[in-house]
Amino acid sequence: MPLTPQSAADRARILTEALPYIQRFQGKTIVIKYGGNAMVDDNLKRGFARDVVLMKLVGMNPVVVHGGGPQIGKLLEKIGKKSEFIQGMRVTDRETMDVVEMVLGGLVNKEIVNLISQHGGKAVGLSGKDGGLIRAKKMVLQKAPDKANLPSEIIDIGHVGEVSSIDPRLVALLDTGDFIPVIAPIGVGEDGQTYNINADVVAGKLAITLKAEKLMLLTNTTGVLDKEGKLLTGLSITQVRDLIADGTIHGGMLPKVNYALDAVSSGVKTAHIIDGRVEHAVLLEVFTNEGVGTLIKS
Ligand SMILES: Nc1ncnc2c1ncn2[C@@H]1O[C@H](COP(=O)(O)OP(=O)(O)O)[C@@H](O)[C@H]1O
Ligand SMILES: CC(=O)N[C@@H](CCC(=O)OP(=O)(O)O)C(=O)O
């Protein structure tokens, strides 16, 4: 069907709107945490892969960090193990660690690599073990003390790690070629111990180390919402702190927002919490004036 003059004008406007963003982000690194619905729905998966390939083709350096919590949960269930989370972190015993590594470093990582390749990108799958990318140490969780003068209790959640350092050289090498790094959030300790790390943490730390222009965290909600459930499109560090203090931001959004804050306080220009349920959410965020979701900047 031929385009009407109106729809042709609309398309042309949208395409030209992308031009300043293409110019501004030339050669810049954009770290994207990919997870949730966007990783299971076929249409959303295709849209994500095409967005990442387009970013690379116009000269940006997208770096994908992926999650896979639900996929890990499914495999654990098959072998008769229940998932348990404390403060948003999966309790990870030896056997669970093997499943996590198999699912994140194997199945999920290679599925995303394949998806991007099918859409014309040259994706390379890595875990934090490759090229010494992610050094980790055991995460120590503290339970809040019941009485003010008692020392807080330490909770052992097994092989869960926090990032101690990142060696960005391998990712930088891939970026200067025409490759797209796809990273599984697994780290390795001084002693060679494998650690399970929350994907939002890895994305945030990687964005800082790579001096990224943007950190984008895809999630299953429209962004950060206020007390009435209305989307907050832009937030400063102070506003975020106030929303945490009054309990508006809680649960799974809390660590996400904290890693986003950490990133923008440490040199990343902007962090975005965006809705992975929207087709082409990444494209809309990077290339349009309106953007989508919540923008956090210093
Ligand atoms: N102020 C808020 N705005 C949006 N979501 C919030 C807020 N406070 C808590 N949440 C919760 O945080 C969830 C997102 O965290 P989570 O489910 O851990 O994300 P993901 O699985 O994408 O990592 C939302 O679905 C919502 O239930
Ligand atoms: C320590 C910890 O909780 N690790 C996560 C790693 C995967 C992840 O973060 O996946 P999502 O982003 O899909 O939740 C886990 O085992 O589920």
Side-chain angles (χ1 to χ4, degrees), residues 33-36 39 66-73 84-86 88-92 96 100 104 139 157 159-161 185 196-201 218 256:
K33 150 68 194 313
Y34 181 48
M39 219 157 76
H66 63 82
Q71 291 87 335
I72 297 167
E84 187 193 349
F85 290 88
I86 300 179
M89 301 291 158
R90 183 186 302 279
V91 178
T92 308
T96 303
V100 168
L104 293 184
M139 177 176 270
I157 50 170
H159 302 252
V160 174
N196 175 15
I197 315 176
N198 178 285
D200 294 323
V201 183
L218 268 70
K256 221 175 270 303

PDB file of all heavy atoms in Angstrom, residues 33-36 39 66-73 84-86 88-92 96 100 104 139 157 159-161 185 196-201 218 256, ligand 2:
ATOM      1  N   LYS A  33      21.454  -3.956  30.261  1.00  0.00           N
ATOM      2  CA  LYS A  33      21.100  -5.170  31.022  1.00  0.00           C
ATOM      3  C   LYS A  33      19.819  -5.726  30.409  1.00  0.00           C
ATOM      4  O   LYS A  33      18.773  -5.070  30.412  1.00  0.00           O
ATOM      5  CB  LYS A  33      20.923  -4.833  32.500  1.00  0.00           C
ATOM      6  CG  LYS A  33      19.924  -5.681  33.282  1.00  0.00           C
ATOM      7  CD  LYS A  33      20.296  -7.113  33.494  1.00  0.00           C
ATOM      8  CE  LYS A  33      19.165  -8.018  33.982  1.00  0.00           C
ATOM      9  NZ  LYS A  33      18.307  -7.645  35.046  1.00  0.00           N
ATOM     10  N   TYR A  34      19.932  -6.930  29.880  1.00  0.00           N
ATOM     11  CA  TYR A  34      18.820  -7.561  29.167  1.00  0.00           C
ATOM     12  C   TYR A  34      18.245  -8.660  30.050  1.00  0.00           C
ATOM     13  O   TYR A  34      18.986  -9.513  30.543  1.00  0.00           O
ATOM     14  CB  TYR A  34      19.378  -8.133  27.867  1.00  0.00           C
ATOM     15  CG  TYR A  34      18.395  -8.815  26.964  1.00  0.00           C
ATOM     16  CD1 TYR A  34      17.182  -8.231  26.650  1.00  0.00           C
ATOM     17  CD2 TYR A  34      18.705 -10.041  26.387  1.00  0.00           C
ATOM     18  CE1 TYR A  34      16.292  -8.865  25.783  1.00  0.00           C
ATOM     19  CE2 TYR A  34      17.829 -10.680  25.523  1.00  0.00           C
ATOM     20  CZ  TYR A  34      16.629 -10.083  25.228  1.00  0.00           C
ATOM     21  OH  TYR A  34      15.758 -10.711  24.382  1.00  0.00           O
ATOM     22  N   GLY A  35      16.940  -8.602  30.264  1.00  0.00           N
ATOM     23  CA  GLY A  35      16.349  -9.633  31.121  1.00  0.00           C
ATOM     24  C   GLY A  35      14.843  -9.560  31.096  1.00  0.00           C
ATOM     25  O   GLY A  35      14.249  -8.828  30.292  1.00  0.00           O
ATOM     26  N   GLY A  36      14.226 -10.318  31.973  1.00  0.00           N
ATOM     27  CA  GLY A  36      12.774 -10.288  32.137  1.00  0.00           C
ATOM     28  C   GLY A  36      12.024 -10.750  30.901  1.00  0.00           C
ATOM     29  O   GLY A  36      12.503 -11.588  30.136  1.00  0.00           O
ATOM     30  N   MET A  39      13.231 -11.196  27.299  1.00  0.00           N
ATOM     31  CA  MET A  39      14.078 -12.337  26.985  1.00  0.00           C
ATOM     32  C   MET A  39      13.266 -13.604  26.699  1.00  0.00           C
ATOM     33  O   MET A  39      13.851 -14.622  26.351  1.00  0.00           O
ATOM     34  CB  MET A  39      15.009 -12.582  28.176  1.00  0.00           C
ATOM     35  CG  MET A  39      16.397 -12.959  27.770  1.00  0.00           C
ATOM     36  SD  MET A  39      17.590 -12.597  29.050  1.00  0.00           S
ATOM     37  CE  MET A  39      17.296 -13.890  30.192  1.00  0.00           C
ATOM     38  N   HIS A  66      23.438  -9.985  30.461  1.00  0.00           N
ATOM     39  CA  HIS A  66      22.108 -10.595  30.579  1.00  0.00           C
ATOM     40  C   HIS A  66      21.873 -11.228  31.942  1.00  0.00           C
ATOM     41  O   HIS A  66      22.798 -11.609  32.650  1.00  0.00           O
ATOM     42  CB  HIS A  66      21.886 -11.628  29.465  1.00  0.00           C
ATOM     43  CG  HIS A  66      22.833 -12.787  29.530  1.00  0.00           C
ATOM     44  ND1 HIS A  66      22.632 -13.868  30.356  1.00  0.00           N
ATOM     45  CD2 HIS A  66      23.976 -13.010  28.857  1.00  0.00           C
ATOM     46  CE1 HIS A  66      23.616 -14.719  30.181  1.00  0.00           C
ATOM     47  NE2 HIS A  66      24.454 -14.225  29.297  1.00  0.00           N
ATOM     48  N   GLY A  67      20.567 -11.325  32.269  1.00  0.00           N
ATOM     49  CA  GLY A  67      20.152 -12.061  33.458  1.00  0.00           C
ATOM     50  C   GLY A  67      19.756 -13.466  33.052  1.00  0.00           C
ATOM     51  O   GLY A  67      20.299 -14.009  32.086  1.00  0.00           O
ATOM     52  N   GLY A  68      18.784 -14.001  33.758  1.00  0.00           N
ATOM     53  CA  GLY A  68      18.325 -15.371  33.465  1.00  0.00           C
ATOM     54  C   GLY A  68      17.779 -16.044  34.712  1.00  0.00           C
ATOM     55  O   GLY A  68      17.733 -17.275  34.773  1.00  0.00           O
ATOM     56  N   GLY A  69      17.377 -15.217  35.691  1.00  0.00           N
ATOM     57  CA  GLY A  69      16.827 -15.767  36.936  1.00  0.00           C
ATOM     58  C   GLY A  69      15.712 -16.788  36.702  1.00  0.00           C
ATOM     59  O   GLY A  69      15.776 -17.905  37.238  1.00  0.00           O
ATOM     60  N   PRO A  70      14.678 -16.444  35.898  1.00  0.00           N
ATOM     61  CA  PRO A  70      13.589 -17.406  35.687  1.00  0.00           C
ATOM     62  C   PRO A  70      14.061 -18.707  35.029  1.00  0.00           C
ATOM     63  O   PRO A  70      13.587 -19.791  35.379  1.00  0.00           O
ATOM     64  CB  PRO A  70      12.634 -16.652  34.751  1.00  0.00           C
ATOM     65  CG  PRO A  70      12.965 -15.208  34.939  1.00  0.00           C
ATOM     66  CD  PRO A  70      14.409 -15.141  35.280  1.00  0.00           C
ATOM     67  N   GLN A  71      15.001 -18.605  34.100  1.00  0.00           N
ATOM     68  CA  GLN A  71      15.514 -19.808  33.434  1.00  0.00           C
ATOM     69  C   GLN A  71      16.283 -20.699  34.429  1.00  0.00           C
ATOM     70  O   GLN A  71      16.191 -21.919  34.376  1.00  0.00           O
ATOM     71  CB  GLN A  71      16.445 -19.422  32.269  1.00  0.00           C
ATOM     72  CG  GLN A  71      15.733 -18.778  31.084  1.00  0.00           C
ATOM     73  CD  GLN A  71      15.577 -17.268  31.207  1.00  0.00           C
ATOM     74  OE1 GLN A  71      15.554 -16.694  32.293  1.00  0.00           O
ATOM     75  NE2 GLN A  71      15.430 -16.608  30.082  1.00  0.00           N
ATOM     76  N   ILE A  72      17.018 -20.068  35.340  1.00  0.00           N
ATOM     77  CA  ILE A  72      17.737 -20.842  36.367  1.00  0.00           C
ATOM     78  C   ILE A  72      16.705 -21.546  37.250  1.00  0.00           C
ATOM     79  O   ILE A  72      16.821 -22.746  37.552  1.00  0.00           O
ATOM     80  CB  ILE A  72      18.622 -19.913  37.249  1.00  0.00           C
ATOM     81  CG1 ILE A  72      19.710 -19.248  36.413  1.00  0.00           C
ATOM     82  CG2 ILE A  72      19.240 -20.697  38.417  1.00  0.00           C
ATOM     83  CD1 ILE A  72      20.418 -18.090  37.113  1.00  0.00           C
ATOM     84  N   GLY A  73      15.663 -20.791  37.628  1.00  0.00           N
ATOM     85  CA  GLY A  73      14.612 -21.339  38.487  1.00  0.00           C
ATOM     86  C   GLY A  73      13.968 -22.580  37.875  1.00  0.00           C
ATOM     87  O   GLY A  73      13.719 -23.569  38.562  1.00  0.00           O
ATOM     88  N   GLU A  84      15.583 -19.961  46.360  1.00  0.00           N
ATOM     89  CA  GLU A  84      15.393 -19.154  47.569  1.00  0.00           C
ATOM     90  C   GLU A  84      16.183 -17.850  47.429  1.00  0.00           C
ATOM     91  O   GLU A  84      17.355 -17.877  47.029  1.00  0.00           O
ATOM     92  CB  GLU A  84      15.902 -19.955  48.792  1.00  0.00           C
ATOM     93  CG  GLU A  84      15.588 -19.273  50.097  1.00  0.00           C
ATOM     94  CD  GLU A  84      16.352 -19.879  51.282  1.00  0.00           C
ATOM     95  OE1 GLU A  84      16.960 -20.953  51.144  1.00  0.00           O
ATOM     96  OE2 GLU A  84      16.340 -19.213  52.346  1.00  0.00           O
ATOM     97  N   PHE A  85      15.530 -16.735  47.704  1.00  0.00           N
ATOM     98  CA  PHE A  85      16.202 -15.435  47.579  1.00  0.00           C
ATOM     99  C   PHE A  85      16.233 -14.725  48.921  1.00  0.00           C
ATOM    100  O   PHE A  85      15.246 -14.738  49.656  1.00  0.00           O
ATOM    101  CB  PHE A  85      15.471 -14.533  46.574  1.00  0.00           C
ATOM    102  CG  PHE A  85      15.615 -14.995  45.153  1.00  0.00           C
ATOM    103  CD1 PHE A  85      14.719 -15.911  44.610  1.00  0.00           C
ATOM    104  CD2 PHE A  85      16.653 -14.532  44.355  1.00  0.00           C
ATOM    105  CE1 PHE A  85      14.852 -16.345  43.298  1.00  0.00           C
ATOM    106  CE2 PHE A  85      16.796 -14.967  43.037  1.00  0.00           C
ATOM    107  CZ  PHE A  85      15.894 -15.879  42.509  1.00  0.00           C
ATOM    108  N   ILE A  86      17.377 -14.147  49.248  1.00  0.00           N
ATOM    109  CA  ILE A  86      17.454 -13.289  50.435  1.00  0.00           C
ATOM    110  C   ILE A  86      17.962 -11.929  49.966  1.00  0.00           C
ATOM    111  O   ILE A  86      19.000 -11.847  49.289  1.00  0.00           O
ATOM    112  CB  ILE A  86      18.392 -13.897  51.517  1.00  0.00           C
ATOM    113  CG1 ILE A  86      17.856 -15.269  51.955  1.00  0.00           C
ATOM    114  CG2 ILE A  86      18.529 -12.948  52.717  1.00  0.00           C
ATOM    115  CD1 ILE A  86      18.691 -15.974  53.002  1.00  0.00           C
ATOM    116  N   GLY A  88      16.976 -10.188  47.611  1.00  0.00           N
ATOM    117  CA  GLY A  88      17.076 -10.172  46.150  1.00  0.00           C
ATOM    118  C   GLY A  88      18.175 -11.048  45.564  1.00  0.00           C
ATOM    119  O   GLY A  88      18.354 -11.088  44.349  1.00  0.00           O
ATOM    120  N   MET A  89      18.931 -11.739  46.430  1.00  0.00           N
ATOM    121  CA  MET A  89      20.041 -12.569  45.935  1.00  0.00           C
ATOM    122  C   MET A  89      19.699 -14.055  46.085  1.00  0.00           C
ATOM    123  O   MET A  89      19.195 -14.468  47.147  1.00  0.00           O
ATOM    124  CB  MET A  89      21.328 -12.290  46.743  1.00  0.00           C
ATOM    125  CG  MET A  89      21.778 -10.853  46.686  1.00  0.00           C
ATOM    126  SD  MET A  89      22.368 -10.439  45.034  1.00  0.00           S
ATOM    127  CE  MET A  89      22.185  -8.658  45.089  1.00  0.00           C
ATOM    128  N   ARG A  90      19.997 -14.847  45.046  1.00  0.00           N
ATOM    129  CA  ARG A  90      19.695 -16.274  45.101  1.00  0.00           C
ATOM    130  C   ARG A  90      20.654 -17.002  46.052  1.00  0.00           C
ATOM    131  O   ARG A  90      21.879 -16.877  45.914  1.00  0.00           O
ATOM    132  CB  ARG A  90      19.869 -16.900  43.705  1.00  0.00           C
ATOM    133  CG  ARG A  90      19.507 -18.396  43.661  1.00  0.00           C
ATOM    134  CD  ARG A  90      19.834 -18.986  42.291  1.00  0.00           C
ATOM    135  NE  ARG A  90      19.140 -18.284  41.232  1.00  0.00           N
ATOM    136  CZ  ARG A  90      17.852 -18.503  40.888  1.00  0.00           C
ATOM    137  NH1 ARG A  90      17.171 -19.432  41.499  1.00  0.00           N
ATOM    138  NH2 ARG A  90      17.304 -17.808  39.916  1.00  0.00           N
ATOM    139  N   VAL A  91      20.128 -17.717  46.996  1.00  0.00           N
ATOM    140  CA  VAL A  91      20.972 -18.548  47.864  1.00  0.00           C
ATOM    141  C   VAL A  91      21.566 -19.623  46.963  1.00  0.00           C
ATOM    142  O   VAL A  91      20.853 -20.348  46.269  1.00  0.00           O
ATOM    143  CB  VAL A  91      20.139 -19.167  49.012  1.00  0.00           C
ATOM    144  CG1 VAL A  91      21.008 -20.052  49.881  1.00  0.00           C
ATOM    145  CG2 VAL A  91      19.477 -18.062  49.831  1.00  0.00           C
ATOM    146  N   THR A  92      22.918 -19.677  46.925  1.00  0.00           N
ATOM    147  CA  THR A  92      23.596 -20.483  45.896  1.00  0.00           C
ATOM    148  C   THR A  92      24.548 -21.499  46.525  1.00  0.00           C
ATOM    149  O   THR A  92      25.691 -21.164  46.865  1.00  0.00           O
ATOM    150  CB  THR A  92      24.361 -19.535  44.926  1.00  0.00           C
ATOM    151  OG1 THR A  92      23.455 -18.517  44.441  1.00  0.00           O
ATOM    152  CG2 THR A  92      24.932 -20.291  43.750  1.00  0.00           C
ATOM    153  N   THR A  96      23.634 -25.579  43.084  1.00  0.00           N
ATOM    154  CA  THR A  96      22.948 -24.451  42.427  1.00  0.00           C
ATOM    155  C   THR A  96      23.941 -23.671  41.569  1.00  0.00           C
ATOM    156  O   THR A  96      23.610 -23.230  40.464  1.00  0.00           O
ATOM    157  CB  THR A  96      22.301 -23.532  43.494  1.00  0.00           C
ATOM    158  OG1 THR A  96      21.411 -24.319  44.272  1.00  0.00           O
ATOM    159  CG2 THR A  96      21.543 -22.385  42.869  1.00  0.00           C
ATOM    160  N   VAL A 100      23.513 -22.570  37.774  1.00  0.00           N
ATOM    161  CA  VAL A 100      23.601 -21.152  37.378  1.00  0.00           C
ATOM    162  C   VAL A 100      24.620 -20.989  36.243  1.00  0.00           C
ATOM    163  O   VAL A 100      24.350 -20.339  35.231  1.00  0.00           O
ATOM    164  CB  VAL A 100      24.002 -20.268  38.594  1.00  0.00           C
ATOM    165  CG1 VAL A 100      24.378 -18.857  38.160  1.00  0.00           C
ATOM    166  CG2 VAL A 100      22.874 -20.229  39.617  1.00  0.00           C
ATOM    167  N   LEU A 104      23.355 -19.655  32.737  1.00  0.00           N
ATOM    168  CA  LEU A 104      23.774 -18.305  32.326  1.00  0.00           C
ATOM    169  C   LEU A 104      24.902 -18.362  31.293  1.00  0.00           C
ATOM    170  O   LEU A 104      24.812 -17.769  30.219  1.00  0.00           O
ATOM    171  CB  LEU A 104      24.223 -17.484  33.533  1.00  0.00           C
ATOM    172  CG  LEU A 104      23.162 -17.117  34.562  1.00  0.00           C
ATOM    173  CD1 LEU A 104      23.760 -16.228  35.644  1.00  0.00           C
ATOM    174  CD2 LEU A 104      21.969 -16.427  33.916  1.00  0.00           C
ATOM    175  N   MET A 139      29.956 -12.359  48.645  1.00  0.00           N
ATOM    176  CA  MET A 139      29.089 -11.297  49.158  1.00  0.00           C
ATOM    177  C   MET A 139      28.714 -11.612  50.606  1.00  0.00           C
ATOM    178  O   MET A 139      28.331 -12.745  50.914  1.00  0.00           O
ATOM    179  CB  MET A 139      27.830 -11.182  48.312  1.00  0.00           C
ATOM    180  CG  MET A 139      26.868 -10.159  48.849  1.00  0.00           C
ATOM    181  SD  MET A 139      25.440  -9.957  47.773  1.00  0.00           S
ATOM    182  CE  MET A 139      26.013  -8.668  46.709  1.00  0.00           C
ATOM    183  N   ILE A 157      24.998 -16.759  52.132  1.00  0.00           N
ATOM    184  CA  ILE A 157      24.140 -17.164  51.004  1.00  0.00           C
ATOM    185  C   ILE A 157      24.954 -17.954  49.970  1.00  0.00           C
ATOM    186  O   ILE A 157      24.586 -18.043  48.801  1.00  0.00           O
ATOM    187  CB  ILE A 157      23.401 -15.962  50.372  1.00  0.00           C
ATOM    188  CG1 ILE A 157      24.363 -14.811  50.052  1.00  0.00           C
ATOM    189  CG2 ILE A 157      22.267 -15.495  51.251  1.00  0.00           C
ATOM    190  CD1 ILE A 157      23.722 -13.713  49.210  1.00  0.00           C
ATOM    191  N   HIS A 159      27.608 -19.235  47.269  1.00  0.00           N
ATOM    192  CA  HIS A 159      28.532 -18.783  46.217  1.00  0.00           C
ATOM    193  C   HIS A 159      28.024 -17.541  45.490  1.00  0.00           C
ATOM    194  O   HIS A 159      28.067 -17.461  44.262  1.00  0.00           O
ATOM    195  CB  HIS A 159      28.755 -19.905  45.206  1.00  0.00           C
ATOM    196  CG  HIS A 159      29.302 -21.160  45.816  1.00  0.00           C
ATOM    197  ND1 HIS A 159      30.595 -21.600  45.630  1.00  0.00           N
ATOM    198  CD2 HIS A 159      28.716 -22.063  46.644  1.00  0.00           C
ATOM    199  CE1 HIS A 159      30.769 -22.718  46.306  1.00  0.00           C
ATOM    200  NE2 HIS A 159      29.644 -23.022  46.939  1.00  0.00           N
ATOM    201  N   VAL A 160      27.516 -16.594  46.240  1.00  0.00           N
ATOM    202  CA  VAL A 160      27.065 -15.338  45.631  1.00  0.00           C
ATOM    203  C   VAL A 160      28.201 -14.331  45.744  1.00  0.00           C
ATOM    204  O   VAL A 160      28.809 -14.193  46.809  1.00  0.00           O
ATOM    205  CB  VAL A 160      25.794 -14.794  46.322  1.00  0.00           C
ATOM    206  CG1 VAL A 160      25.432 -13.411  45.779  1.00  0.00           C
ATOM    207  CG2 VAL A 160      24.642 -15.750  46.107  1.00  0.00           C
ATOM    208  N   GLY A 161      28.482 -13.665  44.630  1.00  0.00           N
ATOM    209  CA  GLY A 161      29.614 -12.754  44.643  1.00  0.00           C
ATOM    210  C   GLY A 161      29.221 -11.314  44.459  1.00  0.00           C
ATOM    211  O   GLY A 161      28.111 -10.992  44.036  1.00  0.00           O
ATOM    212  N   PRO A 185      26.655 -12.912  33.918  1.00  0.00           N
ATOM    213  CA  PRO A 185      27.120 -12.352  35.205  1.00  0.00           C
ATOM    214  C   PRO A 185      27.708 -13.407  36.153  1.00  0.00           C
ATOM    215  O   PRO A 185      27.146 -13.702  37.200  1.00  0.00           O
ATOM    216  CB  PRO A 185      25.843 -11.736  35.780  1.00  0.00           C
ATOM    217  CG  PRO A 185      24.739 -12.595  35.255  1.00  0.00           C
ATOM    218  CD  PRO A 185      25.171 -13.062  33.900  1.00  0.00           C
ATOM    219  N   ASN A 196      28.214 -16.480  41.586  1.00  0.00           N
ATOM    220  CA  ASN A 196      26.963 -16.068  40.950  1.00  0.00           C
ATOM    221  C   ASN A 196      26.710 -14.602  41.326  1.00  0.00           C
ATOM    222  O   ASN A 196      26.617 -14.268  42.506  1.00  0.00           O
ATOM    223  CB  ASN A 196      25.831 -16.968  41.496  1.00  0.00           C
ATOM    224  CG  ASN A 196      24.452 -16.558  41.004  1.00  0.00           C
ATOM    225  OD1 ASN A 196      24.327 -15.795  40.054  1.00  0.00           O
ATOM    226  ND2 ASN A 196      23.424 -17.083  41.668  1.00  0.00           N
ATOM    227  N   ILE A 197      26.627 -13.735  40.329  1.00  0.00           N
ATOM    228  CA  ILE A 197      26.459 -12.300  40.621  1.00  0.00           C
ATOM    229  C   ILE A 197      25.163 -11.796  39.982  1.00  0.00           C
ATOM    230  O   ILE A 197      24.837 -12.167  38.854  1.00  0.00           O
ATOM    231  CB  ILE A 197      27.648 -11.463  40.082  1.00  0.00           C
ATOM    232  CG1 ILE A 197      28.972 -12.134  40.412  1.00  0.00           C
ATOM    233  CG2 ILE A 197      27.616 -10.046  40.633  1.00  0.00           C
ATOM    234  CD1 ILE A 197      30.182 -11.413  39.841  1.00  0.00           C
ATOM    235  N   ASN A 198      24.448 -10.950  40.702  1.00  0.00           N
ATOM    236  CA  ASN A 198      23.236 -10.326  40.167  1.00  0.00           C
ATOM    237  C   ASN A 198      23.596  -9.530  38.904  1.00  0.00           C
ATOM    238  O   ASN A 198      24.578  -8.791  38.888  1.00  0.00           O
ATOM    239  CB  ASN A 198      22.670  -9.411  41.270  1.00  0.00           C
ATOM    240  CG  ASN A 198      21.443  -8.686  40.815  1.00  0.00           C
ATOM    241  OD1 ASN A 198      21.534  -7.734  40.050  1.00  0.00           O
ATOM    242  ND2 ASN A 198      20.300  -9.152  41.273  1.00  0.00           N
ATOM    243  N   ALA A 199      22.797  -9.720  37.853  1.00  0.00           N
ATOM    244  CA  ALA A 199      23.132  -9.125  36.553  1.00  0.00           C
ATOM    245  C   ALA A 199      23.098  -7.590  36.565  1.00  0.00           C
ATOM    246  O   ALA A 199      23.871  -6.949  35.847  1.00  0.00           O
ATOM    247  CB  ALA A 199      22.178  -9.649  35.490  1.00  0.00           C
ATOM    248  N   ASP A 200      22.218  -7.001  37.388  1.00  0.00           N
ATOM    249  CA  ASP A 200      22.171  -5.532  37.463  1.00  0.00           C
ATOM    250  C   ASP A 200      23.488  -4.973  38.022  1.00  0.00           C
ATOM    251  O   ASP A 200      23.956  -3.920  37.599  1.00  0.00           O
ATOM    252  CB  ASP A 200      21.015  -5.064  38.361  1.00  0.00           C
ATOM    253  CG  ASP A 200      19.653  -5.394  37.772  1.00  0.00           C
ATOM    254  OD1 ASP A 200      19.506  -5.308  36.542  1.00  0.00           O
ATOM    255  OD2 ASP A 200      18.744  -5.759  38.538  1.00  0.00           O
ATOM    256  N   VAL A 201      24.073  -5.704  38.987  1.00  0.00           N
ATOM    257  CA  VAL A 201      25.344  -5.265  39.588  1.00  0.00           C
ATOM    258  C   VAL A 201      26.433  -5.270  38.526  1.00  0.00           C
ATOM    259  O   VAL A 201      27.196  -4.303  38.391  1.00  0.00           O
ATOM    260  CB  VAL A 201      25.813  -6.243  40.703  1.00  0.00           C
ATOM    261  CG1 VAL A 201      27.079  -5.756  41.368  1.00  0.00           C
ATOM    262  CG2 VAL A 201      24.740  -6.508  41.715  1.00  0.00           C
ATOM    263  N   LEU A 218      16.783  -3.023  31.527  1.00  0.00           N
ATOM    264  CA  LEU A 218      15.441  -3.420  31.081  1.00  0.00           C
ATOM    265  C   LEU A 218      14.741  -4.163  32.213  1.00  0.00           C
ATOM    266  O   LEU A 218      15.340  -5.031  32.846  1.00  0.00           O
ATOM    267  CB  LEU A 218      15.538  -4.354  29.863  1.00  0.00           C
ATOM    268  CG  LEU A 218      15.501  -3.665  28.498  1.00  0.00           C
ATOM    269  CD1 LEU A 218      16.783  -2.889  28.272  1.00  0.00           C
ATOM    270  CD2 LEU A 218      15.300  -4.683  27.384  1.00  0.00           C
ATOM    271  N   LYS A 256      18.180  -2.131  41.837  1.00  0.00           N
ATOM    272  CA  LYS A 256      18.315  -1.609  40.475  1.00  0.00           C
ATOM    273  C   LYS A 256      18.635  -0.109  40.507  1.00  0.00           C
ATOM    274  O   LYS A 256      19.558   0.355  39.860  1.00  0.00           O
ATOM    275  CB  LYS A 256      16.962  -1.817  39.775  1.00  0.00           C
ATOM    276  CG  LYS A 256      17.073  -2.271  38.361  1.00  0.00           C
ATOM    277  CD  LYS A 256      15.715  -2.559  37.784  1.00  0.00           C
ATOM    278  CE  LYS A 256      15.259  -3.985  37.972  1.00  0.00           C
ATOM    279  NZ  LYS A 256      16.166  -4.986  37.416  1.00  0.00           N
TER     280      LYS A 256
HETATM  281  C1  LIG B   2      22.991 -13.636  42.999  1.00  0.00           C
HETATM  282  C2  LIG B   2      21.836 -13.714  42.081  1.00  0.00           C
HETATM  283  O1  LIG B   2      20.694 -13.568  42.502  1.00  0.00           O
HETATM  284  N1  LIG B   2      22.091 -13.962  40.797  1.00  0.00           N
HETATM  285  C3  LIG B   2      21.086 -14.060  39.782  1.00  0.00           C
HETATM  286  C4  LIG B   2      21.786 -14.017  38.434  1.00  0.00           C
HETATM  287  C5  LIG B   2      20.838 -13.890  37.284  1.00  0.00           C
HETATM  288  C6  LIG B   2      20.087 -12.575  37.270  1.00  0.00           C
HETATM  289  O2  LIG B   2      20.457 -11.570  37.854  1.00  0.00           O
HETATM  290  O3  LIG B   2      18.948 -12.644  36.481  1.00  0.00           O
HETATM  291  P1  LIG B   2      17.718 -11.597  36.425  1.00  0.00           P
HETATM  292  O4  LIG B   2      18.290 -10.288  36.020  1.00  0.00           O
HETATM  293  O5  LIG B   2      16.871 -12.231  35.369  1.00  0.00           O
HETATM  294  O6  LIG B   2      17.075 -11.562  37.781  1.00  0.00           O
HETATM  295  C7  LIG B   2      20.285 -15.389  39.935  1.00  0.00           C
HETATM  296  O7  LIG B   2      20.860 -16.405  40.333  1.00  0.00           O
HETATM  297  O8  LIG B   2      19.085 -15.384  39.611  1.00  0.00           O
END
